[in-house]
Amino acid sequence: MSTQTMAETTTTTTTAAANRRTHIRIGTRKSKLAMIQTHWVVNQLRQLYATDADDGGYEFTIKSMTTTGDNVLDRPLAKIGEKALFTRELEDDLLAENIDLIVHSLKDLPTTLPDGCAIAVITKRENSSDAIVLKSGLNLDNPFDILSPNCHQINENVTIGTSSLRRIAQLKHLNPDIRVVDIRGNLNTRLSKLDDPTSGYSALILASAGLIRADYGHRISGQLLDNWYYAVGQGALAIETRTDDQFIMDLLKPLIHLKTTCECLAERTFMQQLEGGCSIPIGVRSVWTTGADDNDANCVLTLEGVVMSLDGRSRVDGKVSRNLNRKLDNKLPDLTTIDRSVCPFNYTGIAVGQFTEAATAANQLANSAMIGYDLAQDLLGLGAKDILDDIKLNSN
């Protein structure tokens, strides 16, 4: 295991749960944003369990850790050549039972988790879009002009900072001549680099959710919405636990947001079928055509997806819609015949068995997975396989 840096903060709350463990240890990355997200989860738990003061209380200890992805800043993520860059050390600690759960940005989690680990909770999604962040003092009539071939309001060459191949491919598709430079580091580090007068950056492309959570929402110059695809799971938080720790999963269950879980299961299935990750330019958009209410007979989710070449010249896109309350056709039997006592977990790492007590929810999740599966097959048939094969060939 790599060298770890630990910081601990403690807070206390209460619960009526009998025979419970009172000390809950939470793992997270050490970045400012990761800590903000983890404290948000702790605050949610305090609100849930703060009513029964007669029952003692929980002590939450947050252990923050520097991961491989945090330490390697001199190379783009896609060139490091490893998966789980921001999660492996945390998962090692979880499996060693040094911590009880981990709070992640869901987009950092691969679709295959280590044996013994599962995503027990996906919380309600924050804004899932990407955002343009202009350099401090750079004012444009329309911030989106900075992405166009002819940005007349800027005298020097436009330089966009991002380390995401998905964002680079989309930028190159919009403007083949745009200059894109890798930028790594924590959110506040990247913003400082952007605003440095000597840095040469004109703007950054960042996730809106991170900016909003870290109280940098005022830096959003414009949100990329039309014809722009975001990362799988972007804007959602995942809480990872050990698969044999039912106590912790039961404790966390009230934080599950079914609508977001359906979206992210569709997106992660899509990525899994394409064998994608940070080295493959894959983007998604989830849209609820009708309501996501559990009792809505017309609960229709649409997943839009794209696969792009690294230079943005080639791309295949499409979309699939499905009524999540429709009867399953058993194309994914491992999702429709879940027995908690035999196979309680894990589709794309998500503990889908958590929902088997509610037939409607389980059915919606299975249909969500089918959306991602069908969209991946559609795009592979339309030419995505050739794009992916070419990327893999050139990366070797």
Side-chain angles (χ1 to χ4, degrees):
M1 187 183 300
S2 66
T3 302
Q4 300 173 3
T5 303
M6 296 291 187
E8 299 190 2
T9 60
T10 301
T11 187
T12 302
T13 188
T14 56
T15 184
N19 300 318
R20 70 196 188 288
R21 304 200 308 259
T22 59
H23 183 197
I24 310 301
R25 302 157 300 171
I26 304 173
T28 185
R29 292 168 60 196
K30 195 177 181 177
S31 72
K32 176 181 176 181
L33 178 58
M35 291 297 291
I36 288 171
Q37 293 173 168
T38 303
H39 279 289
W40 180 87
V41 169
V42 170
N43 288 336
Q44 296 303 302
L45 291 171
R46 291 184 66 192
Q47 292 178 34
L48 283 167
Y49 299 114
T51 57
D52 194 351
D54 293 335
D55 202 35
Y58 279 130
E59 180 185 11
F60 290 100
T61 301
I62 300 174
K63 296 186 176 181
S64 61
M65 181 182 299
T66 301
T67 66
T68 299
D70 296 310
N71 286 325
V72 182
L73 299 176
D74 59 345
R75 284 170 285 167
L77 294 175
K79 293 186 178 180
I80 299 176
E82 297 180 35
K83 293 184 178 181
L85 290 170
F86 296 107
T87 63
R88 181 175 293 111
E89 289 86 356
L90 289 160
E91 289 167 336
D92 288 344
D93 231 25
L94 180 67
L95 291 171
E97 300 189 15
N98 295 323
I99 54 178
D100 301 298
L101 59 102
I102 310 169
V103 178
H104 300 282
S105 293
L106 179 59
K107 67 177 182 176
D108 290 339
L109 280 172
T111 55
T112 300
L113 302 183
D115 289 343
C117 294
I119 300 169
V121 170
I122 297 177
T123 65
K124 185 176 181 179
R125 199 170 205 167
E126 181 53 88
N127 190 313
S128 57
S129 71
D130 278 340
I132 299 174
V133 179
L134 296 177
K135 192 183 195 77
S136 181
L138 177 59
N139 298 310
L140 300 179
D141 294 338
N142 184 345
F144 302 102
D145 287 346
I146 201 165
L147 308 182
S148 67
N150 300 307
C151 186
H152 300 298
Q153 288 184 266
I154 299 180
N155 295 325
E156 69 275 9
N157 292 329
V158 172
T159 300
I160 307 296
T162 180
S163 58
S164 161
L165 294 183
R166 171 187 56 83
R167 291 169 180 156
I168 293 171
Q170 291 186 93
L171 289 169
K172 290 291 186 181
H173 181 76
L174 291 173
N175 179 5
D177 298 323
I178 201 166
R179 184 168 183 261
V180 183
V181 177
D182 181 67
I183 187 168
R184 293 282 315 285
N186 294 331
L187 184 56
N188 49 324
T189 300
R190 282 179 280 173
L191 290 172
S192 296
K193 289 179 180 179
L194 169 67
D195 294 336
D196 183 344
T198 65
S199 69
Y201 293 108
S202 310
L204 304 181
I205 307 295
L206 298 169
S208 297
L211 290 162
I212 293 168
R213 288 182 177 129
D215 203 25
Y216 289 118
H218 62 282
R219 291 301 307 267
I220 296 176
S221 304
Q223 291 182 357
L224 293 158
L225 301 173
D226 296 336
N227 301 315
W228 187 273
Y229 296 82
Y230 49 78
V232 168
Q234 185 160 298
L237 300 184
I239 305 178
E240 187 176 10
T241 65
R242 292 185 296 276
T243 56
D244 61 358
D245 196 343
Q246 192 62 47
F247 171 82
I248 291 294
M249 285 190 291
D250 287 343
L251 184 76
L252 297 172
K253 190 174 288 189
L255 298 183
I256 292 171
H257 191 256
L258 179 59
K259 176 180 177 180
T260 302
T261 305
C262 288
E263 294 175 7
C264 294
L265 181 55
E267 295 169 13
R268 286 172 67 83
T269 303
F270 173 66
M271 183 167 69
Q272 180 193 62
Q273 292 298 312
L274 296 174
E275 298 181 357
C278 65
S279 61
I280 304 293
I282 294 173
V284 294
R285 286 197 300 253
S286 288
V287 180
W288 291 96
T289 308
T290 60
D293 189 287
D294 291 354
N295 298 317
D296 189 342
N298 294 304
C299 180
V300 179
L301 175 63
T302 298
L303 178 65
E304 303 174 7
V306 65
V307 178
M308 298 162 283
S309 61
L310 296 176
D311 61 8
R313 295 180 183 274
S314 301
R315 59 186 271 153
V316 178
D317 56 51
K319 62 182 179 180
V320 168
S321 298
R322 192 176 181 95
N323 185 337
L324 300 190
N325 290 331
R326 67 183 287 187
K327 183 178 179 180
L328 269 295
D329 52 15
N330 294 321
K331 289 176 70 176
L332 287 175
D334 56 325
L335 280 175
T336 59
T337 60
I338 294 170
D339 180 347
R340 284 183 66 103
S341 64
V342 178
C343 180
F345 303 109
N346 218 328
Y347 199 77
T348 70
I350 300 172
V352 293
Q354 287 281 81
F355 296 90
T356 55
E357 296 170 358
T360 300
N363 192 72
Q364 290 180 350
L365 287 165
N367 273 303
S368 298
M370 282 308 312
I371 292 173
Y373 177 88
D374 288 343
L375 181 58
Q377 302 312 309
D378 287 351
L379 296 197
L380 287 170
L382 292 172
K385 185 177 186 304
D386 294 336
I387 295 174
L388 296 172
D389 287 346
D390 186 61
I391 292 173
K392 293 175 183 176
L393 179 64
N394 291 323
S395 65
N396 294 331

